[in-house]
Amino acid sequence: MRITAVGGYEEVGRNMTAIKIGGDTIIVEMGIRLDRVMVHEDTDISKMGKSELASKGIIPDDSVVRGDVKAIILTHGHLDHIGAVTILAKKYKNAPIIGTRFTTELIKKEQNFGRLKNPVHTLDTGDILQITPEIGIEFVRMTHSIPHTAMLVVHTKEGKLVYANDFKLDDTPVIGEPPDYRRIKELGSEGIKCMIVETTRVLDGGRTPSEKIAEILVRDNLKKSDPEKGLIVTTFSSQIARIKSITEAASAIGRTPVLLGRSMEKYVGLAEKTEILNLPEDAHLYGAPDAIRKSLKTISDDGREKYLLIVTGHQGEPDALLSKISLRKLAYKIKKDDQVIFSATVIPNPINVANRYSLETKLRLQGARIFKDVHVSGHAYREDHSDLLKMLQPEKIIPCHGDLKMLTSYVELAEDHGYQFNRDIFLLRNGQSVTT
Ligand SMILES: [Zn+2]
């Protein structure tokens, strides 16, 4: 079994791994690096060529992939895992794209999906699919911050490989069920040859708080809000469990939830279609610019205190709705003591930090009260990583989805569990391979 680090092995983003068994290869994820997209925001990435996108570090460089690619497997629908599919999958046109329902439906919504010839196959968690006589894949139910996240198990004659990128261990996830601990422990007792594991939050001690905690934080903040002032919440559009908590809390305080933004419509609309989410009956959801403008005008005229706005733009992205509101470009203008709740943390790269600073300053200068970090992470903290390690007890480990600091921190954690660097835990740079 030869594992090639294609992308995401020296950074947070553009995840892609190739696993070659005999002459056959399966690819896991085809992601983009969102911070690099923002650096090049003036360029339309759909117009950029593949090699240019790779050289700018936006998509993985798949020239290192060897073997006959038999499948492209996607473990969840975040863009740093699926955002490059419409650019890269063309080259492997006979390979089916395989994911859980929410993920495959998202792929079908991608702008250039029509240009792909690859068949798309939905695989539920708990099911095993035989790709070739030698390779079977299994999705194990896992929790993260987007519906239908799976942990991948690759079954081969040489042993099993587990791919846990991304995950958290959430026993009260608000939407969906807790991780399938029974199966995870069973896999551990059957024996795991190798585990590829994310490291994004391994530097944080303890356990990741449950999404249930975020629900309580949201409810508490909304309950204590000033009923006579405007109220805006911003969060990740794909964080459907959070959106459920926010809309329900809005109804509980007698405000009509109004969800606004292009990506809000994309993810929340799909969650409703796939019956993952049922918005309260009085909720509104608009994604098109004209519909958004009209809705904001109605809210301003009717009385902002009757509504709760749920908008895109928690990272301060210049083209997202909250930034536009802060620029006073729309009918809904911030008034003194209007409340803005960030149900998200700043993803720590310099661009986001700068954008968020600028956004918050503008809002504050217009008199807004700002409530930050009403949020819990979707990624495993250090002790969750320890728990997964104890349950699975893999022979070999390859940490991924992190910068050097995160990756080496995971190495130290594994060393505490008796693993030895370069004997049973390996660090790869993008483009490098290891045979296990
Ligand atoms: Zn993710």
Side-chain angles (χ1 to χ4, degrees):
M1 205 186 296
R2 188 169 173 79
I3 296 151
T4 302
V6 189
Y9 283 77
E10 49 195 70
E11 65 220 322
V12 174
R14 58 164 176 169
N15 289 284
M16 184 165 170
T17 302
I19 303 160
K20 187 165 170 281
I21 302 127
D24 294 334
T25 296
I26 58 170
I27 289 173
V28 190
E29 331 274 33
M30 288 180 167
I32 54 170
R33 243 189 96 161
L34 289 161
D35 58 325
R36 292 275 166 86
V37 176
M38 278 196 261
V39 171
H40 305 287
E41 65 178 327
D42 49 336
T43 52
D44 181 355
I45 74 159
S46 66
K47 292 199 175 72
M48 282 162 73
K50 198 176 130 181
S51 56
E52 191 185 357
L53 286 165
S55 71
K56 284 185 167 155
I58 296 171
I59 63 166
D61 179 359
D62 71 341
S63 62
V64 293
V65 175
R66 299 281 176 272
D68 187 7
V69 175
K70 295 291 187 190
I72 297 160
I73 299 153
L74 310 171
T75 64
H76 65 285
H78 283 148
L79 288 172
D80 53 348
H81 294 252
I82 69 165
V85 167
T86 54
I87 303 158
L88 296 177
K90 274 181 254 181
K91 186 172 160 190
Y92 318 101
K93 63 177 187 299
N94 296 322
I97 298 166
I98 302 165
T100 52
R101 173 108 198 268
F102 195 67
T103 312
T104 52
E105 291 290 332
L106 277 172
I107 286 295
K108 290 176 192 165
K109 275 176 162 287
E110 285 285 299
Q111 211 185 358
N112 292 320
F113 174 71
R115 289 188 205 162
L116 290 182
K117 300 263 188 298
N118 309 63
V120 177
H121 187 96
T122 297
L123 183 68
D124 290 330
T125 53
D127 288 352
I128 299 182
L129 178 74
Q130 208 61 37
I131 305 280
T132 70
E134 308 287 317
I135 308 168
I137 60 161
E138 174 184 0
F139 278 162
V140 177
R141 194 177 66 238
M142 193 35 104
T143 44
H144 181 36
S145 48
I146 187 166
H148 296 175
T149 296
M151 187 178 85
L152 169 69
V153 186
V154 183
H155 296 261
T156 75
K157 286 214 174 88
E158 296 172 53
K160 297 184 188 76
L161 175 141
V162 163
Y163 176 94
N165 175 26
D166 299 322
F167 81 100
K168 77 187 272 189
L169 299 176
D170 192 340
D171 289 3
T172 50
V174 177
I175 280 182
E177 290 176 63
D180 189 348
Y181 293 118
R182 190 197 56 79
R183 180 62 184 141
I184 295 170
K185 286 176 188 160
E186 195 176 67
L187 285 162
S189 61
E190 288 168 11
I192 300 299
K193 196 172 167 66
C194 181
M195 173 171 76
I196 300 171
V197 63
E198 69 132 314
T199 58
T200 309
R201 295 302 287 265
V202 71
L203 290 156
D204 295 78
R207 291 183 198 285
T208 317
S210 167
E211 184 58 28
K212 193 75 187 166
I213 300 296
E215 185 191 38
I216 294 167
L217 291 173
V218 164
R219 217 189 301 147
D220 187 47
N221 271 273
L222 294 198
K223 216 170 134 196
K224 289 177 182 154
S225 65
D226 187 335
E228 297 184 349
K229 303 291 178 186
L231 185 55
I232 300 175
V233 183
T234 181
T235 193
F236 299 88
S237 315
S238 58
Q239 211 335 350
I240 303 301
R242 190 70 50 79
I243 303 239
K244 180 175 187 274
S245 301
I246 298 165
T247 52
E248 287 175 358
S251 302
I253 58 165
R255 290 191 187 235
T256 303
V258 183
L259 299 105
L260 300 170
R262 195 161 34 97
S263 61
M264 204 57 83
E265 188 183 46
K266 173 178 159 187
Y267 292 99
V268 177
L270 183 60
E272 280 223 287
K273 188 187 142 196
T274 49
E275 293 172 357
I276 292 166
L277 174 73
N278 274 317
L279 285 176
E281 289 214 335
D282 61 339
H284 301 276
L285 171 63
Y286 301 112
D290 276 354
I292 292 172
R293 263 195 296 275
K294 243 177 157 174
S295 168
L296 287 172
K297 175 87 170 66
T298 309
I299 292 164
S300 294
D301 295 346
D302 193 31
R304 63 184 62 204
E305 69 285 354
K306 295 177 192 164
Y307 299 89
L308 181 139
L309 271 58
I310 303 161
V311 302
T312 54
H314 50 87
Q315 298 299 311
E317 306 92 318
D319 55 348
L321 194 57
L322 192 55
S323 287
K324 285 181 185 156
I325 290 174
S326 78
L327 292 168
R328 307 185 81 76
K329 283 181 173 171
L330 297 155
Y332 191 108
K333 294 183 173 60
I334 296 291
K335 290 183 180 169
K336 184 157 170 37
D337 291 335
D338 278 352
Q339 304 142 101
V340 182
I341 297 172
F342 287 88
S343 190
T345 42
V346 185
I347 299 164
N349 66 55
I351 296 167
N352 289 339
V353 173
N355 282 341
R356 251 298 273 276
Y357 177 80
S358 159
L359 171 66
E360 283 180 33
T361 306
K362 280 185 203 119
L363 293 169
R364 264 204 197 96
L365 288 173
Q366 292 166 39
R369 294 172 69 192
I370 290 174
F371 304 83
K372 291 206 271 193
D373 299 333
V374 182
H375 182 63
V376 302
S377 173
H379 295 273
Y381 287 7
R382 199 166 192 83
E383 294 308 321
D384 299 303
H385 277 292
S386 278
D387 284 346
L388 187 70
L389 207 47
K390 278 186 193 163
M391 284 186 278
L392 285 172
Q393 300 172 54
E395 286 171 36
K396 304 266 161 64
I397 306 174
I398 304 170
C400 70
H401 204 187
D403 60 24
L404 207 48
K405 216 171 154 191
M406 298 162 190
L407 299 167
T408 50
S409 177
Y410 192 97
V411 172
E412 286 168 4
L413 169 99
E415 284 172 346
D416 290 344
H417 287 263
Y419 290 85
Q420 198 178 313
F421 186 59
N422 271 345
R423 184 191 69 190
D424 26 47
I425 175 157
F426 304 94
L427 286 187
L428 299 179
R429 304 292 283 171
N430 292 338
Q432 291 182 335
S433 299
V434 66
T435 303
T436 68

